[in-house]
Amino acid sequence: MASGSILVTGGAGYVGTHTVVELLDAGYDVIVMDNLHNASMESIKGVEEITGKTVATYSVDLLDKDGLRDLFKKHKIYCVMHFAGLKAVGESCQKPLMYYKNNIAGTVNLLEVMKEFGVYNMIFSSSTTVYGSPKYLPIDEKHPVGGCTNPYGKTKYFIEEILTDLCTAEKEWNVVLLRYFNPVGAHISGKIGEDPKGIPNNLMPYISQVAVGRLKELTVHGNDYDTPDGTGVRDYIHVVDLAQGHVAALKRLEKGCGCKVYNLGTGKGYSVIEIAKAFEKGSGKPIPYKIAGRRAGDIASCYADAKLAQEELGWTAKLDLARMCEDMWRWQSNNPTGFRKDS
């Protein structure tokens, strides 16, 4: 077991909160840091209700280096799980400078402060966007990276390169890069889930807001892709499976690993229309949709080969699409306006 706390940056966000639950349930001491740009402290209350444990939480921005130092002075940190970052593909195409500054400069700040305090362990929340347009499917970890189709993906790729170079130059570092596919669903309790501010950029929260009546209809971006029904195909992974993958990666890191890369996905691809139909079944609600043009930066199909994570981490995704939809609907129907109860 780790000799110190696990600092979770972006720990009040969607994947962050679910990972904090799994870390606490596994017996780790956890500290959450989040600037609340796309999150709410209400989510931490949900984590505490689920686990029965109190979580030390700090509102700190990665670009605030003094704030980072103050946090590291207060706690003995063993490892950083780094989720914090802007993540909307479309927005990144419109505001690339904002993404490069926040995601890359923020990460460099974090790494410099970690080094100052002798913390050399990191698990990085990366993304399959680093693969760009797939050269082959399913995508394994040997697939070429760097041909990213949008600035968001490039920030993930550049950060991976920074971390790889760091591990090469300074052997005390242990870093696990987790490239994950599309997290969906919610904790079975319905107390935490995905709660994007504004109109959702990701498919499942958009569909769930249509089902609950917050949005009129689903906009399907492109129906002329080279896929069975013309709509984009993605590998959707239940967020609880994903969170458990982070705990498995931490156990691997505790043994000393240098720099390791793992895909976290199910290996199955579902189209936008298939997801909408599955959600209709899971929620009992109609999901009307309209077809619009393709969205900048999107690709036709993307799904994982996750055998390496199974072989080296002992991890595999267990929860199926029906469960993803059921759990997402439980969260959304219990919390129709998300964590903002009055809106």
Side-chain angles (χ1 to χ4, degrees):
M1 183 64 75
S3 57
S5 300
I6 312 302
L7 173 62
V8 182
T9 74
Y14 174 46
V15 180
T17 48
H18 286 82
T19 303
V20 170
V21 167
E22 297 302 320
L23 287 168
L24 291 170
D25 284 350
Y28 291 94
D29 182 64
V30 180
I31 300 156
V32 166
M33 185 194 102
D34 203 300
N35 70 356
L36 304 181
H37 174 80
N38 193 35
S40 166
M41 281 301 179
E42 289 296 315
S43 64
I44 301 301
K45 293 181 183 177
V47 169
E48 292 176 338
E49 289 176 14
I50 291 166
T51 62
K53 297 177 181 178
T54 302
V55 182
T57 307
Y58 296 87
S59 181
V60 179
D61 193 290
L62 288 173
L63 296 174
D64 176 9
K65 207 166 185 180
D66 288 337
L68 287 172
R69 287 193 183 100
D70 288 343
L71 197 160
F72 275 75
K73 287 174 186 174
K74 290 176 182 173
H75 298 275
K76 182 186 178 186
I77 294 169
Y78 169 75
C79 176
V80 176
M81 283 199 183
H82 183 28
F83 296 95
L86 300 173
K87 63 174 187 174
V89 167
E91 183 184 56
S92 78
C93 295
Q94 297 161 358
K95 302 176 180 179
L97 276 183
M98 183 171 78
Y99 272 68
Y100 290 128
K101 181 175 182 179
N102 184 85
N103 292 8
I104 298 174
T107 299
V108 171
N109 273 352
L110 176 62
L111 291 168
E112 287 176 345
V113 173
M114 288 174 67
K115 187 174 176 180
E116 282 179 34
F117 287 85
V119 180
Y120 297 105
N121 299 313
M122 174 178 277
I123 295 173
F124 176 55
S125 163
S126 192
S127 165
T128 53
T129 55
V130 302
Y131 294 121
S133 295
K135 305 289 189 293
Y136 57 84
L137 291 169
I139 296 174
D140 59 20
E141 292 83 354
K142 295 178 181 177
H143 187 287
V145 292
C148 308
T149 59
N150 55 77
Y152 161 70
K154 289 175 185 175
T155 68
K156 292 294 189 184
Y157 168 66
F158 294 150
I159 293 168
E160 282 198 7
E161 290 290 285
I162 290 166
L163 291 168
T164 302
D165 289 344
L166 190 57
C167 288
T168 300
E170 302 177 15
K171 300 303 182 185
E172 59 266 59
W173 285 88
N174 291 293
V175 175
V176 179
L177 309 173
L178 295 179
R179 295 173 181 160
Y180 40 87
F181 287 69
N182 297 268
V184 296
H187 192 270
I188 195 169
S189 66
K191 292 181 183 295
I192 55 173
E194 189 166 9
D195 181 30
K197 293 181 179 177
I199 296 175
N201 290 292
N202 296 327
L203 177 63
M204 190 74 92
Y206 200 116
I207 289 176
S208 67
Q209 289 191 18
V210 171
V212 85
R214 283 177 66 180
L215 294 172
K216 178 184 174 184
E217 60 189 359
L218 170 67
T219 300
V220 179
H221 293 282
N223 66 342
D224 58 350
Y225 287 106
D226 184 17
T227 62
D229 63 19
T231 65
V233 169
R234 298 290 182 271
D235 186 335
Y236 295 91
I237 176 173
H238 198 295
V239 67
V240 172
D241 278 332
L242 186 61
Q244 290 172 354
H246 288 74
V247 178
L250 180 56
K251 294 183 184 301
R252 175 72 181 87
L253 184 145
E254 287 169 358
K255 299 174 183 177
C257 64
C259 188
K260 302 290 289 185
V261 182
Y262 300 102
N263 286 338
L264 297 184
T266 66
K268 299 176 184 176
Y270 296 98
S271 75
V272 174
I273 299 300
E274 285 178 309
I275 293 292
K277 289 179 178 177
F279 204 91
E280 283 187 334
K281 186 174 181 181
S283 66
K285 301 288 184 180
I287 307 296
Y289 65 87
K290 66 177 180 180
I291 304 297
R294 294 187 182 190
R295 189 170 55 180
D298 276 348
I299 57 177
S301 296
C302 185
Y303 52 94
D305 180 335
K307 287 197 287 287
L308 189 64
Q310 183 176 1
E311 292 167 2
E312 295 192 9
L313 303 181
W315 173 91
T316 186
K318 301 180 179 70
L319 302 174
D320 62 12
L321 179 59
R323 175 69 184 274
M324 296 176 207
C325 293
E326 289 165 12
D327 288 347
M328 186 73 178
W329 177 240
R330 183 181 301 107
W331 151 253
Q332 191 70 78
S333 57
N334 287 348
N335 305 273
T337 58
F339 293 112
R340 297 174 291 282
K341 307 298 183 186
D342 58 342
S343 53

